[in-house]
Amino acid sequence: MPVPDRDQQEILAQLRRAGLSRRTLLRGAGMGGAAALLAACGVKGTGSGASSSSTGASSSSTGVSSSAAAPAGSSASGAATSGSSAGTSSSASASVPSVADRSDTDKTLNWSNWPEYIDVGENNASDHPTLDAFTKETGIKVTYTEDVNDNNQYFAKIQPQLSAGRPINADLFVVTDWMAGKLIQLGWVQPLDHALIPNLKNLQPALMDVPFDKGRKYSLTWQSGLTGIAQNPAALGGKKVESMDQLLTDSSLRGKVTLLTEMRDTVGLTLLDLGYNPEDFTDEQFTEAMAKLQAAVDAKQIRQFTGNDYAQGLVAGDIAACLAWTGDVVTLKADNPDLQYVLPEAGYTLWSDNLVVPILTPHKKNAETLINYYYQPAVAAQVAEAVNYITPVVGTKEVLAKQDPETAKNVLIFPDAATLSKAKGFMELDPDQEKRYNAAFAKLSGA
Amino acid sequence: MSVAAAGVGISSVERTGGPDGPVRGAGPDSAGPVGSRRLTPYFLLLPALLALVVFYVLPTLTLASTSLQTGDLQQGYSITWHWATYGDVLTQYWPQFLRSFAYAAAATLFALLIAYPLAYTIARRAGRWRNVLLALVVAPFFTSFLIRTLAWRQILADQGWVVSIMKSTGLMSVTDWLGLTSGRLLATPVAVVLGLTYNFLPFMTLPLYTSLEKIDPALLQASGDLYANAWQGFWRVTWPLSLPGVVGGTLLTFIPAAGDFVNQQFLGSVSETMTGNVIDSLALTQRDYPSAAAMSLVLMVAIVVLVTVYVRRSGTDELV
């Protein structure tokens, strides 16, 4: 069941946003507040649930429209020009019934995103200034839900509906590269109308031809980040962890190390440490990396595999060093300024989370309007300043250089060419590889 | 000997004299000819039966059919009577099964040791504080159990006061030597069992309280009159009469604890995953639905077998 993990992270995220430090949060006095926040989560949950059912009802009342062929057809032609793996997907999406777009009359949008992945108001954590400005500008009311916590779990949540040809709650959601690629192949996301996204010209050129979506027919980057090694110097006793090898074998860290449940990050960094390329590796190399990780687990070096719930342990010092995502650590430094972040010399992974529009949504045009809005440098700057991840929008750095020079200078947020040269993605896996690698990786974490 | 006989004797008298016996016996005889009367109990059972079918029988059948399917997301799943899935999950995940039952058994035992004196005090000694104390037993339910479990993460933290006290008193070196801890409490089996014990304690306390509260104090007086000392009185009168509560409490603790995965996830490390964690990972991360279904069914069957043996052994049929 995904519930606890998601709830847990949501609770932590809410508390963090509410300005409570995680350490005071559970010290008894915080319990009342925590319960209240939990109740708030519950209310929010029902709210989004209600809106989902209304979406469902309205789409069924519109019925399956005969204009279905239009988007599917355009996707086929798009795929033909790009000549990439998208070809298989367009055939799949053509078989799925589509619905008429009601964006012009129904100015609403349901957007599902990861926790703490957008700017928040100064006093009210559920208030998002950029979204408010968007609503003012376009009249589109956005229901913003932070219910994506893990690519696999979110997939498990939307898969039953989408595979049965029923619409999901969200009109727009954010998933990591490989999951976006998988959804494109399954034909569960719609091609984007670039004519409605003129600000696409601001996309970082390097992100235009990503392997899973050449020419960005189906997806656009929301934020990117690096995976490296975060550390708490107090818990390390003056030591510094410089490499993945040290993280996995230095016995003074025994039981104080966590790795990520995201297979591509943990295995990617291990492959790099062994001198292999995570963008192009063999089964043998994968097995070798797994053996190295297994040895660390057997030696009880590894405490846990985590999502971004390493935050609490790292700040408190239960975790001395861990694999972590850049933006998180920049944010966590506010709680504990001593935290350090190391990008291993052997290389590290670079990933992006991408905006995609699922099939069967009646609000595709609204979604495209929103994507276009967030591709303005001034808006992207507001988000970058808040989430501390790498923005895909060219010109953001220049905007921030005036408003917030400190953030503009941070190489974790605006990595220079030297930093990016050592960053690697992860090779695309076919379904068989995906299954085998996932099973092997799950066994590693004791399940 | 005589005390025990007296106890059992009186309880059996109570049973036959209780409201159920005669009424149940008289019902069919007197209402025999009237058909609608005979059907009434079935009508009354209907809502429960419907709920049972919709929320238990159908899901279990779905689970069983899923466990025999093969396929993948792209091609879809179909029933192929692939029984080998069961063998695979058993050979691959038997340590997790053993661990689940061991942790659940330990948690049940600790919960019983803590809850029995607690329930006894509330039922027999609390006087006018009884209701307040009962409310306090239930009070933790007012907070989400996720929050409560997370709170243990703070309490047991490596830099926390519990660990520092254990270290300074040398207790930690003893538990380390026993292999229960490893210089820390969090992310050890001790923390997992502690979390399970804590979370299911009220489920143990309440049935115990109910059965202890029902015991007629006159029985203990009678045992005293028959020259039983306090210990004999407890062991020959109170304990046997509280057995239904003990059995009820242990079942309510053991069954959910064996399937729990939250405590492990929050308080454990990679080295002590339980069955629940495996099912979670199989269903949501690896999306191997057949294996997840097979695991769930194996867990269910194992629990049913264990519980049946336990209930038979403790002979609750006579005691309830």
Side-chain angles (χ1 to χ4, degrees):
Chain A
M1 230 183 276
V3 182
D5 199 35
R6 186 178 316 132
D7 280 6
Q8 175 209 6
Q9 288 176 12
E10 182 146 342
I11 291 162
L12 290 176
Q14 298 249 355
L15 291 168
R16 220 176 306 166
R17 249 176 278 125
L20 301 168
S21 97
R22 271 175 300 284
R23 226 162 322 155
T24 53
L25 106 82
L26 295 159
R27 231 189 247 152
M31 297 300 275
L37 278 161
L38 188 77
C41 300
V43 170
K44 199 171 121 198
T46 31
S48 67
S51 70
S52 87
S53 64
S54 76
T55 321
S58 55
S59 70
S60 67
S61 71
T62 337
V64 177
S65 133
S66 57
S67 70
S74 68
S75 88
S77 65
T81 46
S82 78
S84 72
S85 63
T88 47
S89 67
S90 61
S91 62
S93 68
S95 64
V96 178
S98 172
V99 291
D101 199 80
R102 294 184 291 109
S103 294
D104 291 331
T105 49
D106 186 4
K107 294 221 169 274
T108 61
L109 182 74
N110 293 318
W111 180 9
S112 286
N113 204 346
W114 299 64
E116 291 185 272
Y117 222 17
I118 196 168
D119 57 316
V120 292
E122 249 168 55
N123 304 317
N124 184 354
S126 58
D127 183 36
H128 308 293
T130 53
L131 271 182
D132 294 343
F134 172 72
T135 306
K136 212 178 231 174
E137 195 179 305
T138 61
I140 298 169
K141 232 177 123 17
V142 182
T143 308
Y144 184 80
T145 318
E146 299 184 328
D147 61 350
V148 189
N149 266 294
D150 179 289
N151 285 300
N152 279 311
Q153 288 182 1
Y154 191 72
F155 183 84
K157 192 169 151 182
I158 61 173
Q159 180 253 324
Q161 279 129 299
L162 289 179
S163 62
R166 277 180 283 126
I168 57 165
N169 178 9
D171 304 309
L172 179 70
F173 61 85
V174 179
V175 288
T176 309
D177 301 320
W178 59 275
M179 181 54 79
K182 184 176 174 133
L183 292 168
I184 293 171
Q185 277 186 11
L186 284 165
W188 290 354
V189 292
Q190 300 196 48
L192 302 170
D193 185 354
H194 286 184
L196 287 168
I197 313 175
N199 287 332
L200 188 62
K201 64 177 194 293
N202 296 331
L203 178 69
Q204 290 281 358
L207 290 168
M208 194 62 200
D209 276 317
V210 291
F212 64 90
D213 185 15
K214 294 239 161 64
R216 306 316 300 249
K217 297 270 177 293
Y218 294 88
S219 66
L220 274 171
T221 311
W222 171 244
Q223 304 287 320
S224 307
L226 300 169
T227 308
I229 301 169
Q231 36 208 297
N232 185 330
L236 279 170
K239 239 185 190 156
K240 194 164 185 195
V241 181
E242 302 277 9
S243 71
M244 190 70 185
D245 182 66
Q246 193 187 352
L247 189 72
L248 295 177
T249 56
D250 187 335
S251 58
S252 68
L253 304 175
R254 192 164 167 264
K256 289 178 168 291
V257 172
T258 64
L259 304 177
L260 291 166
T261 48
E262 196 72 38
M263 187 255 286
R264 282 158 178 83
D265 286 325
T266 299
V267 175
L269 271 115
T270 313
L271 283 168
L272 281 162
D273 191 70
L274 292 168
Y276 303 134
N277 181 1
E279 286 172 354
D280 183 19
F281 60 90
T282 62
D283 271 4
E284 289 72 45
Q285 292 170 345
F286 178 82
T287 311
E288 195 183 332
M290 292 304 287
K292 178 153 190 155
L293 289 165
Q294 187 66 55
V297 170
D298 292 343
K300 302 216 185 285
Q301 177 85 351
I302 311 302
R303 190 184 186 104
Q304 270 181 323
F305 285 80
T306 69
N308 48 15
D309 45 329
Y310 57 76
Q312 187 194 7
L314 182 66
V315 172
D318 291 348
I319 299 171
C322 63
L323 290 188
W325 294 309
T326 39
D328 281 7
V329 181
V330 175
T331 308
L332 286 174
K333 273 195 163 197
D335 282 16
N336 185 342
D338 298 334
L339 295 184
Q340 294 295 321
Y341 200 81
V342 167
L343 294 171
E345 199 56 33
Y348 31 87
T349 52
L350 169 69
W351 44 267
S352 300
D353 289 327
N354 305 276
L355 295 151
V356 289
V357 179
I359 49 168
L360 300 164
T361 156
H363 302 117
K364 178 168 168 263
K365 207 172 135 191
N366 288 345
E368 285 154 345
T369 312
L370 182 124
I371 296 173
N372 189 49
Y373 169 79
Y374 275 101
Y375 265 77
Q376 301 171 81
V379 180
Q382 272 176 277
V383 177
E385 204 181 351
V387 303
N388 299 313
Y389 277 104
I390 303 168
T391 180
V393 181
V394 176
T396 307
K397 191 176 180 177
E398 288 68 28
V399 174
L400 272 181
K402 282 179 221 138
Q403 295 169 0
D404 185 356
E406 193 123 324
T407 303
K409 266 185 255 160
N410 193 332
V411 287
L412 294 180
I413 303 173
F414 293 100
D416 48 29
T419 309
L420 283 176
S421 68
K422 279 198 204 130
K424 293 281 182 193
F426 201 86
M427 135 179 137
E428 276 194 273
L429 305 177
D430 61 41
D432 171 60
Q433 282 173 320
E434 170 100 32
K435 196 177 171 181
R436 281 187 292 122
Y437 290 177
N438 268 335
F441 189 70
K443 214 168 293 164
L444 187 69
S445 51
Chain B
M1 168 60 204
S2 57
V3 178
V8 172
I10 288 172
S11 80
S12 67
V13 166
E14 261 185 349
R15 204 151 27 102
T16 42
D20 304 7
V23 172
R24 208 188 286 153
D29 292 341
S30 57
V34 189
S36 66
R37 273 274 198 104
R38 201 183 284 168
L39 287 176
T40 312
Y42 296 101
F43 282 125
L44 290 175
L45 275 176
L46 203 61
L49 280 176
L50 262 180
L52 201 64
V53 168
V54 173
F55 297 114
Y56 181 73
V57 177
L58 289 182
T60 309
L61 288 177
T62 317
L63 206 61
S65 99
T66 307
S67 73
L68 296 171
Q69 293 175 352
T70 47
D72 60 50
L73 265 177
Q74 274 81 3
Q75 263 89 54
Y77 291 88
S78 57
I79 297 188
T80 52
W81 304 98
H82 192 258
W83 292 98
T85 308
Y86 283 89
D88 292 347
V89 297
L90 276 175
T91 45
Q92 196 173 335
Y93 298 117
W94 63 267
Q96 278 87 350
F97 277 114
L98 283 189
R99 220 176 271 141
S100 289
F101 293 129
Y103 290 176
T108 308
L109 181 67
F110 289 126
L112 181 64
L113 291 177
I114 298 167
Y116 203 96
L118 177 65
Y120 189 88
T121 312
I122 298 175
R124 312 302 293 274
R125 300 284 145 99
R128 65 201 174 92
W129 292 101
R130 182 186 285 189
N131 288 337
V132 176
L133 289 174
L134 264 185
L136 286 178
V137 169
V138 186
F141 285 123
F142 298 152
T143 313
S144 155
F145 102 107
L146 291 173
I147 293 268
R148 285 184 280 127
T149 311
L150 277 172
W152 280 106
R153 220 147 107 157
Q154 303 288 314
I155 298 167
L156 304 178
D158 297 10
Q159 263 79 14
W161 58 272
V162 177
V163 170
S164 61
I165 287 177
M166 280 181 75
K167 277 187 174 156
S168 59
T169 55
L171 189 60
M172 192 65 118
S173 40
V174 177
T175 52
D176 278 356
W177 182 74
L178 289 170
L180 294 172
T181 56
S182 40
R184 61 172 200 258
L185 264 179
L186 206 57
T188 64
V190 176
V192 179
V193 172
L194 188 148
L196 289 170
T197 308
Y198 163 78
N199 272 312
F200 293 109
L201 192 60
F203 296 101
M204 182 67 93
T205 312
L206 294 178
L208 280 175
Y209 165 80
T210 329
S211 64
L212 283 167
E213 194 249 6
K214 270 196 312 206
I215 298 173
D216 188 346
L219 293 176
L220 273 178
Q221 280 175 4
S223 76
D225 293 347
L226 293 167
Y227 298 101
N229 60 27
W231 167 249
Q232 284 171 317
F234 169 78
W235 186 240
R236 300 220 148 152
V237 178
T238 311
W239 173 254
L241 288 175
S242 69
L243 270 185
V246 174
V247 173
T250 44
L251 291 183
L252 283 178
T253 307
F254 180 81
I255 296 173
D260 184 85
F261 69 104
V262 173
N263 285 286
Q264 199 287 324
Q265 197 168 320
F266 288 178
L267 306 173
S269 80
V270 280
S271 314
E272 58 260 356
T273 48
M274 297 166 69
T275 317
N277 305 92
V278 175
I279 297 174
D280 172 53
S281 156
L282 283 172
L284 294 179
T285 310
Q286 303 176 59
R287 282 187 300 281
D288 183 351
Y289 299 126
S291 297
M295 281 289 280
S296 309
L297 281 175
V298 170
L299 180 67
M300 258 164 79
V301 170
I303 288 178
V304 167
V305 169
L306 283 174
V307 165
T308 312
V309 170
Y310 173 62
V311 172
R312 282 271 170 84
R313 274 282 169 84
S314 53
T316 28
D317 311 341
E318 279 179 31
L319 284 157
V320 177

